[in-house]
């Protein structure tokens, strides 16, 4: 929030994603990795929101499939997704 107001991530907006708080946005960004001109911006957004740095869509998909149920969005600590640790 800037000045008490939330601002829209213009990068996400340009990719057709209206919320950075929904885990589905991560899946959409991964799907965009195979779409030429949008791929680099999608990769930039994925890294921004997850702090992961995978190079291939396959690696991103694997990570997403393994972790999507454990991802939570937080506006504390950088407006990004965090992985909830596995419970034993």
């Amino acid at each position: 929030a800037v000045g008490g107001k939330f601002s829209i991530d213009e990068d996400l907006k340009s990719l057709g994603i209206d919320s950075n708080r929904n885990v589905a946005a991560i899946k959409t960004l991964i799907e965009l990795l195979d779409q030429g001109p949008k791929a680099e911006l999608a990769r930039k957004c994925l890294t921004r929101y997850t702090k992961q740095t995978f190079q291939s869509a396959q690696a991103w998909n694997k990570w997403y499939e393994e972790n999507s149920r454990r991802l939570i969005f937080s506006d504390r600590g950088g407006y990004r997704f965090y992985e909830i640790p596995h419970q034993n």
Side-chain angles (χ1 to χ4, degrees), residues 39-81:
E40 193 53 41
L41 185 55
R43 186 178 320 282
K44 175 181 163 186
C45 290
L46 282 165
T47 299
R48 178 185 319 145
Y49 285 107
T50 68
K51 301 299 184 213
Q52 303 298 320
T53 58
F54 304 111
Q55 296 303 307
S56 71
Q58 180 181 5
W60 276 106
N61 269 311
K62 183 178 186 296
W63 174 82
Y64 182 82
E65 292 303 320
E66 292 172 355
N67 296 289
S68 63
R69 290 179 295 284
R70 299 184 307 112
L71 293 175
I72 60 166
F73 182 84
S74 176
D75 56 1
R76 297 189 181 244
Y79 295 91
R80 68 185 207 80
F81 285 90

Side-chain angles (χ1 to χ4, degrees), residues 3-19:
K5 295 181 180 180
F6 288 100
S7 59
I8 296 171
D9 182 321
E10 293 298 328
D11 289 339
L12 288 181
K13 186 177 175 182
S14 74
L15 293 170
I17 299 170
D18 61 359
S19 175

